[in-house]
Amino acid sequence: MALRTILTVGDETLKKKCRPVTEFNDHLHTLLDDMTETLLESGGVGLAAPQIGILRRVVVLLDVNKDPEEVIELINPEVIEMNELEQTIEGCLSVPGKYGYVMRPTWAKIRAQDRNGNWFEREGEGIVAQCFCHETEHLDGHLFTEKVTEYVEVEQE
Ligand SMILES: [Zn+2]
């Protein structure tokens, strides 16, 4: 496994639409392992492949509600269901130090493939539902800053 560099806002790669994954091979598995290592090192909740310069529809995230140690791998993910939107505070590893109010569902269901290409569905609440939306938007070249209604000061630990 290897740590990858996280791109930050201003890098054009973050604005590009990612291609679907079609081959579930060693190359993909290495990417997933590297993304997991990079995510865990970053202290973030989710990471999308374009954030490390790879234009493929791949996301890793932590299910912080169930088991903060469990990394969920989402290949070709799509949010297929969500409940009503509520205002919440959000940030992004690619937009360091900036936090703002966005509208997100408090519950969402995602459909994705695992590292072997098997489709599955998974539900998430709160920050996990928020992360499903945030990370899939990265795959279409969108950043949360496009949705921010107001920036807020958040104390850093
Ligand atoms: Zn992000």
Side-chain angles (χ1 to χ4, degrees), residues 23-42:
E23 296 195 34
F24 296 79
N25 53 18
D26 286 351
H27 189 72
L28 173 68
H29 297 170
T30 301
L31 172 64
L32 284 163
D33 293 343
D34 287 357
M35 285 176 68
T36 291
E37 190 180 344
T38 306
L39 175 65
L40 295 176
E41 169 75 19
S42 73

Side-chain angles (χ1 to χ4, degrees), residues 80-141:
I80 54 171
E81 226 180 298
M82 62 172 81
N83 68 353
E84 74 281 4
L85 304 179
E86 284 189 1
Q87 184 167 269
T88 183
I89 292 175
E90 193 159 304
C92 176
L93 291 171
S94 292
V95 191
K98 275 207 161 184
Y99 299 88
Y101 288 109
V102 292
M103 299 298 286
R104 293 294 188 193
T106 55
W107 172 91
K109 188 191 275 186
I110 203 159
R111 181 172 181 265
Q113 283 168 286
D114 67 17
R115 60 164 60 207
N116 299 311
N118 301 307
W119 287 98
F120 65 97
E121 291 180 0
R122 187 160 179 140
E123 295 174 30
E125 290 183 347
I127 194 166
V128 177
Q130 185 177 353
C131 205
F132 284 168
C133 299
H134 178 114
E135 301 306 333
T136 50
E137 286 169 8
H138 269 301
L139 303 181
D140 290 318

Side-chain angles (χ1 to χ4, degrees), residues 10-68:
D11 192 301
E12 290 299 308
T13 309
L14 293 171
K15 293 185 185 168
K16 293 186 177 149
K17 195 173 161 79
C18 298
R19 295 185 305 275
V21 171
T22 52
E23 296 195 34
F24 296 79
N25 53 18
D26 286 351
H27 189 72
L28 173 68
H29 297 170
T30 301
L31 172 64
L32 284 163
D33 293 343
D34 287 357
M35 285 176 68
T36 291
E37 190 180 344
T38 306
L39 175 65
L40 295 176
E41 169 75 19
S42 73
V45 182
L47 182 71
Q51 292 182 275
I52 57 161
I54 307 291
L55 292 171
R56 288 288 181 176
R57 304 187 81 80
V58 178
V59 164
V60 292
L61 60 89
L62 298 171
D63 193 339
V64 291
N65 296 333
K66 284 191 181 143
D67 175 3

